[in-house]
Amino acid sequence: MCGIFGVVAKEGNVAEKLLTIGKRLAYRGYDSAGLALYNDGNIDLRKGVGTIESVTENLKLKEMVGKIGLGQLRWSTFGRPSKINAQPHFDCDGDMVGAHNGNIVSFHRTKEQLENEGHTIRSLNDGEICVHATEKHYDKTKDMIKGLMEGVKEMEGAFAFICFHKDHPDTLYAIKMGSSLVLGIGEGENYIASDLPSILPLTNKFVPLNDGEIIEVTATSYKIYNAEDGSEIHRKPRITDLSAEEAVKGSYDYFLTKEIHEQVDATEKLAFGLESDVLDEIVNKLSEANVAFLVGCGSSFNACNVGSYYLNNLAGIIAFPVIGGRFFEEYKNYQPDDKTVLLCVSQSGETKDIINTINFAKPKGYHILGMVNVPGSTVERLSEAYAYIGAGIERSVPATKTYTNQVLLFLILAARIGYKRGRITKEEYEQLKAEIHNLSALVKQTIEESIPKAKKLAKELVKTNAMSLLGYGITHGVAMEGALKIREINYISAEAMYSSEFKHGPLSIVENGYPVIYVVAPNDKYYVISHVSEVECRDGRPIVVGEHIDGLDKHVKEGDYFEIPKSSQLISPILAAIPLQLLALYMSIERGIDPDYPRNLSKTLTVD
Ligand code: F6R
């Protein structure tokens, strides 16, 4: 999705800093890039189609001069990728420049209306509408806050917009109306960007923003206003411990490879949540729930699928995993009681399907809880209580370490709640704690032992364009996650399902050599041996991921059993995702696909 950013400084030139932020937003996916800087009475606007590197080179962006500037990376929705549709955009007379992130769904109607009123709209891009709508009201009042307040009333959509005006050449303005936006506080300079990780090389001090807020930012000050009534809102900056280094590849070939390896540290750090009081609030709120809906999208939904097993079985909470975009369709006629919880799981904390769900559920009385990776994110701010999954910055589009830490956090919460509610004994709790503290060592071992096998299998499957992944009970979510990873970065069909369902239709796809990957937890031997045999006897190719199970190995050809270290029914599914992540990675490399930036995808989905 698009990224917007701006820098205003007391001294020096902001072009390099804008490019630093812009490059760190590139992972979100984009097709065009542009910058606008103010210098000596003029606004210099340069933009074009291509990567930020190629646009920088071709349009000499580094040579731009000014103490205030803004930029945008565009992922096309309205108007095909072209120079004219690229952002930022000028207003009619070139006095103001601005760019947006998100979608103006009233684009055609608002464009026509503004044109009828005499505005010259040059592109087919909805970002330009934001500029002209603001201009319309600024010209009447000569007040940028009023321009933005009234301008947004002209449009419908979910977006964030940044701009500056020649009349106020030392001030950046921005408004947040449904898309992510953060304010960064520096020394003698301040920053605005679509996400927090992008400004970390410049500062770790930030001010989170809410929807319906306008910011007015100079090099040394900031003000926040309510976009409805213009009243001022006072909010102090926060410090994040996320580090900028986490977002560079280092010696790894891909971010994905690095992030798979980072699961060792990520799980180790998160394990301290067992003892930490930072989880007390969410544990207490969740303990009071009778029903919990676990809402997530993509990998976060798959984590909810494993998480519901933990909450149902360990904590005694009736938990339902629900896809973000489905919740408000499915439960629109359901009235929650005062013990119903909606636990929103989102790495970015900005996924639109999840924000929509919260906006639907909150007024109905659901208790909103959040599980996020990015501090200050929208899901965090809309939640009564939240927990960080503490995975560090994840840059690669496919989620890996954030998925694993989401599952682990579910286990930690379920263990603490189960013990608190007397569902598990002290001995069982202590045993589980010891296993969780030992998890990181097993993650390391799993990665090391799976790499050669995953590389070998990836070569053998290089011509394969369809496969099935099956899980049973607690491993169903793991199979779904493995299938998502394989599909996402290999552009092939990988279908996941509950293993007992396979015989109810899908089994007919099995023919000579058709791969069926079984994800197995240790206690499910009985069912899985029978499910594996169904494929084996039809000349399919069963592949197993799980710890050693006597007898099961006889049904699988040598090299096709990804044995993970011995653990337990609750820990083993966390480890089982790792060989599948590695298999997806090496298959992708074999096929010449860049696993960090799969086509058509974006890391943070801030649109409907
Ligand atoms: C898949 C993947 C996506 C995200 C999904 C939700 O590898 O990364 O499926 O999991 O878009 O994103 P968050 O967790 O940010 O809400």
Side-chain angles (χ1 to χ4, degrees):
M1 301 294 112
C2 310
I4 54 174
F5 45 102
V7 179
V8 52
K10 226 161 112 184
E11 298 299 337
N13 188 15
V14 299
E16 289 273 5
K17 286 179 181 155
L18 284 167
L19 290 170
T20 301
I21 303 176
K23 282 180 190 157
R24 291 170 67 99
L25 288 170
Y27 74 97
R28 295 158 72 95
Y30 70 105
D31 46 56
S32 327
L35 293 187
L37 277 80
Y38 173 85
N39 187 40
D40 211 12
N42 293 311
I43 298 175
D44 182 5
L45 168 59
R46 305 185 193 185
K47 58 184 182 174
V49 176
T51 62
I52 188 163
E53 286 78 14
S54 66
V55 176
T56 301
E57 171 90 17
N58 298 340
L59 303 179
K60 306 202 178 335
L61 300 188
K62 284 190 183 155
E63 292 171 17
M64 293 173 82
V65 177
K67 287 190 217 157
I68 183 167
L70 56 84
Q72 205 260 13
L73 299 184
R74 172 167 189 249
W75 189 80
S76 298
T77 306
F78 288 97
R80 66 183 180 81
S82 69
K83 183 178 161 98
I84 190 92
N85 288 333
Q87 301 202 48
H89 297 284
F90 276 128
D91 64 355
C92 291
D93 42 22
D95 287 343
M96 184 182 25
V97 69
H100 92 318
N101 167 26
N103 284 336
I104 309 297
V105 291
S106 64
F107 170 64
H108 295 289
R109 173 173 55 76
T110 313
K111 179 172 182 280
E112 198 179 313
Q113 187 184 315
L114 288 164
E115 281 172 337
N116 289 341
E117 289 166 0
H119 286 262
T120 309
I121 297 177
R122 304 167 187 95
S123 74
L124 290 173
N125 171 248
D126 51 344
E128 190 177 352
I129 300 303
C130 300
V131 183
H132 291 274
T134 308
E135 175 189 33
K136 170 176 166 181
H137 295 281
Y138 175 79
D139 284 352
K140 287 184 200 154
T141 59
K142 297 293 166 203
D143 180 329
M144 281 298 285
I145 303 301
K146 291 212 174 90
L148 287 163
M149 280 171 65
E150 295 305 315
V152 293
K153 293 186 190 152
E154 305 272 341
M155 305 175 277
E156 271 171 59
F159 60 97
F161 173 60
I162 182 170
C163 59
F164 66 83
H165 198 291
K166 274 185 189 171
D167 291 352
H168 312 275
D170 54 1
T171 312
L172 281 174
Y173 298 88
I175 182 163
K176 175 168 163 29
M177 298 299 292
S179 289
S180 54
L181 196 70
V182 66
L183 167 63
I185 307 297
E187 295 289 329
E189 56 190 40
N190 289 320
Y191 322 99
I192 298 174
S194 291
D195 74 20
L196 177 59
S198 66
I199 55 171
L200 289 178
L202 304 168
T203 187
N204 63 353
K205 206 171 178 184
F206 74 104
V207 182
L209 300 167
N210 295 322
D211 283 334
E213 291 180 350
I214 295 173
I215 45 172
E216 183 182 58
V217 186
T218 70
T220 52
S221 70
Y222 68 90
K223 283 187 175 166
I224 306 174
Y225 299 96
N226 181 321
E228 281 274 315
D229 59 15
S231 59
E232 198 178 331
I233 298 163
H234 297 278
R235 189 172 303 135
K236 290 201 174 117
R238 286 167 49 177
I239 303 287
T240 174
D241 57 6
L242 285 177
S243 108
E245 286 72 50
E246 279 173 315
V248 292
K249 254 188 253 175
S251 57
Y252 289 94
D253 48 357
Y254 296 102
F255 280 114
L256 187 57
T257 324
K258 178 173 178 252
E259 287 160 7
I260 290 172
H261 282 85
E262 280 173 350
Q263 293 177 115
V264 178
D265 280 353
T267 49
E268 184 177 2
K269 283 189 197 137
L270 188 60
F272 289 102
L274 277 165
E275 284 88 18
S276 164
D277 58 6
V278 297
L279 292 184
D280 286 356
E281 205 183 345
I282 194 164
V283 165
N284 291 339
K285 297 248 183 211
L286 207 45
S287 301
E288 285 159 22
N290 51 10
V291 176
F293 294 99
L294 315 178
V295 186
C297 302
S299 294
S300 295
F301 170 70
N302 296 337
C304 292
N305 213 290
V306 185
S308 69
Y309 183 101
Y310 290 142
L311 289 176
N312 282 309
N313 287 284
L314 268 176
I317 294 172
I318 302 173
F320 299 98
V322 191
I323 292 167
R326 179 170 179 165
F327 185 82
F328 44 88
E329 285 298 335
E330 187 93 356
Y331 297 104
K332 54 179 174 285
N333 298 321
Y334 175 76
Q335 184 51 48
D337 65 18
D338 62 355
K339 290 191 157 104
T340 312
V341 158
L342 187 82
L343 175 50
C344 299
V345 180
S346 173
Q347 180 282 123
S348 61
E350 303 294 348
T351 298
K352 187 74 189 335
D353 293 351
I354 301 298
I355 315 281
N356 289 347
T357 306
I358 299 177
N359 290 337
F360 160 84
K362 220 173 183 177
K364 282 186 162 261
Y366 287 87
H367 291 286
I368 311 291
L369 305 182
M371 200 191 262
V372 297
N373 197 37
V374 179
S377 57
T378 306
V379 170
E380 174 192 311
R381 279 171 300 108
L382 293 174
S383 301
E384 277 172 39
Y386 58 86
Y388 290 136
I389 63 167
I393 295 168
E394 188 174 72
R395 290 292 302 267
S396 191
V397 168
T400 50
K401 58 178 181 165
T402 54
Y403 160 84
T404 294
N405 267 29
Q406 285 167 344
V407 175
L408 177 58
L409 183 54
F410 268 120
L411 177 58
I412 291 171
L413 293 176
R416 283 183 56 166
I417 296 166
Y419 180 51
K420 191 175 152 82
R421 286 176 146 199
R423 290 260 167 179
I424 55 173
T425 62
K426 183 157 179 46
E427 291 67 42
E428 286 167 329
Y429 183 50
E430 289 305 326
Q431 161 70 22
L432 198 45
K433 272 167 70 172
E435 284 188 76
I436 292 173
H437 280 300
N438 187 43
L439 174 65
S440 139
L442 299 185
V443 168
K444 187 166 191 291
Q445 190 184 339
T446 307
I447 295 173
E448 284 164 3
E449 292 175 358
S450 302
I451 287 174
K453 283 188 187 164
K455 281 186 174 167
K456 183 167 173 287
L457 189 57
K459 278 196 191 346
E460 291 172 19
L461 296 180
V462 75
K463 294 256 162 5
T464 301
N465 57 18
M467 62 174 77
S468 301
L469 287 93
L470 310 184
Y472 183 86
I474 192 169
T475 61
H476 181 213
V478 185
M480 294 196 325
E481 177 57 9
L484 176 59
K485 290 293 91 94
I486 290 169
R487 276 199 302 269
E488 186 177 10
I489 54 177
N490 288 281
Y491 316 155
I492 64 169
S493 166
E495 200 187 11
M497 76 196 69
Y498 210 81
S499 68
S500 60
E501 278 293 293
F502 199 55
K503 61 182 175 291
H504 294 287
L507 188 58
S508 65
I509 198 177
V510 174
E511 57 182 2
N512 196 13
Y514 179 79
V516 182
I517 302 182
Y518 288 85
V519 192
V520 186
N523 297 355
D524 304 327
K525 166 179 172 172
Y526 168 77
Y527 292 102
V528 175
I529 289 191
S530 122
H531 298 159
V532 166
S533 307
E534 283 164 5
V535 168
E536 188 197 10
C537 72
R538 288 171 176 85
D539 295 328
R541 179 175 183 180
I543 297 163
V544 171
V545 179
E547 62 185 62
H548 178 83
I549 295 179
D550 273 341
L552 185 55
D553 46 343
K554 296 195 177 47
H555 299 272
V556 182
K557 121 175 178 323
E558 214 190 312
D560 282 357
Y561 200 140
F562 280 84
E563 266 184 34
I564 59 176
K566 200 162 168 35
S567 59
S568 64
Q569 184 74 0
L570 298 176
I571 295 288
S572 145
I574 304 182
L575 300 174
I578 295 169
L580 298 171
Q581 296 168 344
L582 288 163
L583 180 62
L585 166 72
Y586 293 121
M587 282 174 66
S588 170
I589 296 172
E590 281 296 324
R591 286 162 198 253
I593 295 169
D594 180 343
D596 285 337
Y597 301 105
R599 69 184 181 201
N600 307 338
L601 298 183
S602 155
K603 182 79 184 157
T604 309
L605 283 150
T606 53
V607 291
D608 288 306

